[in-house]
Amino acid sequence: MGEQAKAIGVLTSGGDAPGMNAAVRAVTRAAIRKGFRVIGIQRGYNGLLNGECKELKPRNVSDIIQRGGTILYTARCKEFMQPEYVQKAADKCHELGIEGLVVIGGDGSFRGAADLSRIGGIKCIGIPGTIDNDIQCTNYTIGYDTAMNTALEMIDKLRDTSQSHDRCSVVEVMGRHAGWIAVNVAMASGAIACCTPETPYDINYIAEKIRKAHETQKEHFIVVVAEGVDSSEKITEDIKKLTGIDTRLTVLGHVQRGGSPTVRDRVAASQMGYRAVELLCDGQTNRVVGLKHGKIIDVDIQEALTMKKPFDTELLRMCDELAY
Ligand code: F6P
C-alpha cells in the first residue's frame, strides 16, 4: 500500500453562520486539488476530542454552497479552555494524520486554534465565521451579510403592520457584544433610533425624537436594539410610557442565523477557504484570514484576538441624523 497523503482537518465552531458550508466546500476542494486528504470534524472541538470525523471527498461537499447552517455541525466547547484537553485534541490530530487544521468560527474558536497550535504543535488557520462581524482583523465575517438581509426583510414586514396600526416597533436583533447588524439594519430600514452595546443610549432623547416626529405627522416608527443592550423589554416599555404610542417588541432571534447565504457570503467564504489552504501549504500557522478593503489578507491570530474592532460610530450618527 502506498503512503497516505497528508491530511488537513476542517471544523466549524461557535454559533453557526450562513456561508460556513461554502467555506467547508472551498477548504475541501482546494486541499484535495493540492494533494491533501481532508478530514471533516463534526461539532467543533468537541468532535475533535471525541474523534467524530469523516473524510471529505469532492462529492461530499457538492450541493452545499447554497445551504445555511453547517454540514459539519457546530458547538461551543468549554473543555477546550483547559490545556489537558487541548493536548488531547492535538494527540487526536496526530492519530488522524492531521497536520493542519482550518477552524471556521469566531474569536472563541480562534483562541482554541491558537492553543492547539501552541500547546499541541498543530498548524492552525482561522476563518472568521460569525454573523456578528466583531473580529478585528477583518472588515467582514462570513454570515454577516446574510444575517443583515434576513433581519432587514423581517423589519420591512414589521414596518407594514406598524404603519397600518400607527405603532412603534422595537426590534431586537442579534449581537450580544456587537452592534454591527443593528446599526446597518437601522440605517437600511430608516429606523428612528438604534441602540448598540458599544455606545450609550438616552431613552429621553429617543422618546423626544419620536414625539417630535409624531408632531410632524410621522405615525409609525422602527427602533432597532442590539441584543447586548440592557433590556429591549425595558426600552419598549419606556418608549410606550414616554410617548404614549402603542409600542411592541419583536425579538428576531435565531432566524438571523439561518437561510441560504447571499452572494457576498458565498464569495467571501470561498475566497477565505481557498486562502486558508494556501497558507497551510506554505507551512504557515497561527494566522487568521480576512477581508480588508476588498482584498483577502491574513494576520497573526494573536493580533486578531487582542485588538478590539472600532465600532462605526459615524454610521450610527448618520443614521440618527437622517431619521426624523
Ligand atoms: O455570535 C453569534 C450569535 O448569534 C450572537 O449574535 C448571539 O448573541 C449569540 O450568538 C447567541 O448564541 P447562542 O446561539 O449560543 O444562544
Side-chain angles (χ1 to χ4, degrees), residues 158-173:
L158 278 169
R159 175 199 291 280
D160 292 344
T161 166
S162 296
Q163 181 268 317
S164 309
H165 289 265
D166 292 336
R167 277 180 182 150
C168 173
S169 263
V170 175
V171 189
E172 184 189 292
V173 297

Side-chain angles (χ1 to χ4, degrees), residues 15-16 76 130-132 134 174-177 181 227 254 257:
D16 63 348
R76 305 188 202 269
T130 163
I131 63 164
D132 290 347
D134 57 350
M174 272 192 160
R176 203 174 288 152
H177 307 292
I181 296 178
E227 185 192 347
H254 286 82
R257 290 236 296 258

Side-chain angles (χ1 to χ4, degrees), residues 157-170 210-211 213-214 216-222 239-240 243-248:
K157 290 183 203 294
L158 278 169
R159 175 199 291 280
D160 292 344
T161 166
S162 296
Q163 181 268 317
S164 309
H165 289 265
D166 292 336
R167 277 180 182 150
C168 173
S169 263
V170 175
I210 292 175
R211 252 188 276 121
H214 200 230
T216 64
Q217 274 72 58
K218 184 167 169 57
E219 309 286 3
H220 61 279
F221 303 89
I222 304 282
I239 292 176
K240 196 189 290 183
T243 64
I245 295 169
D246 185 10
T247 305
R248 305 291 177 99

Side-chain angles (χ1 to χ4, degrees), residues 180 183-184 309-317:
W180 290 95
V183 68
N184 279 277
K309 190 172 197 163
F311 187 63
D312 195 346
T313 46
E314 183 58 6
L315 186 61
L316 189 61
R317 191 185 66 78

